[in-house]
Amino acid sequence: MSAVPADVLPGAAPAEGTAPRPAALGPRARLWPSLAAVYRAQLSRARVARIPLLFVATFQSVGIMILMRGVVDGGSEARAVVAGSAVLVVAFVALNLLAQYFGQLRAGGGLDHYATLPVPPAAVVLGAAGAYASFTVPGTVVTAGFGCLLFGLPLTHLWVLAAVIPLSGAALAGLGAALGLLAPRPEFATLLGQLGMSAALLLGVLPAERMPEAVRVVRDLLPSTYGVEAFARTFAPHPDWALVLGDLAVCGAVGVLSLAVATWAYRRAAVR
């Protein structure tokens, strides 16, 4: 009859002088599956609440273009109005609403819930930003199409919105998330989001040629400016695609930077 050592039996105490083996940890959550899970959760959660606000953002931009139609006849000014109004829809959702969301999430203890999940911080920020930016697609397309018909601009290059929306959305969503996470109170997050959207309205819709030099400098610091410029250039009879790609590249770089800052702000807020 064979003998079995006592230290290998289930539930047996480890032999004297033998250190207990640590329990094996599960595999670390990967970024892309976590990002997809957060994106789907945020998209289903915000679908009912955000759709009415998307209509508000679209009607707001359409109303601004109708008002500006009595002042602007055409040319570069009309291009600026249409491009700025289209990107304003992105600013309303990705900047304003996302700042409010993260401000309320931080104040209500929602960050504690995400901190307990095996989800990388970048997945939380990118997933929420992507979900909110996705709601801007229909309103931006409708606004741009209506503006082209209103001002007599060509519809040929509206496909550029496929690059303008995600790049501008990333830049503005990162900024909105950072404002919401860094604001000490949700009221300040709401205020900062409203101020950011107002800046996108005043500095993006109004033609740059009519602005003072000091205001143009501030305009160049706004992330949405480069999305507006890229889209406005496509209305020219012969667009300079090198400049369009340059503006989109700057917009994308600002988006990466702002999302990185938002991820840092999330880590900072989650450990407090």
Side-chain angles (χ1 to χ4, degrees), residues 36-89:
V38 174
Y39 174 80
R40 289 194 299 267
Q42 289 289 339
L43 199 64
S44 61
R45 176 186 177 278
R47 185 179 300 158
V48 176
R50 302 308 175 193
I51 286 181
L53 294 175
L54 176 60
F55 281 110
V56 172
T58 305
F59 292 152
Q60 171 185 261
S61 295
V62 170
I64 290 172
M65 289 190 298
I66 294 175
L67 290 175
M68 294 296 294
R69 185 64 181 86
V71 180
V72 176
D73 294 329
S76 61
E77 296 181 348
R79 301 169 194 167
V81 170
V82 174
S85 299
V87 177
L88 181 62
V89 179

Side-chain angles (χ1 to χ4, degrees), residues 30 37 51 99 105-106 122 137 154 260:
R30 292 178 296 173
I51 286 181
L105 194 69
R106 179 185 179 187
V137 175

Side-chain angles (χ1 to χ4, degrees), residues 99-193:
Q100 296 180 33
Y101 169 73
F102 273 107
Q104 295 171 359
L105 194 69
R106 179 185 179 187
L111 294 181
D112 298 334
H113 167 70
Y114 282 107
T116 60
L117 299 177
V119 177
V124 178
V125 175
L126 292 174
Y132 273 71
S134 298
F135 284 104
T136 67
V137 175
T140 305
V141 173
V142 169
T143 301
F146 180 83
C148 290
L149 296 177
L150 184 65
F151 287 92
L153 298 176
L155 298 168
T156 310
H157 301 303
L158 285 186
W159 56 266
V160 176
L161 289 175
V164 172
I165 293 175
L167 294 178
S168 299
L172 294 171
L175 178 60
L179 292 177
L181 291 167
L182 294 176
R185 298 177 58 184
E187 295 82 5
F188 286 107
T190 301
L191 176 62
L192 293 174

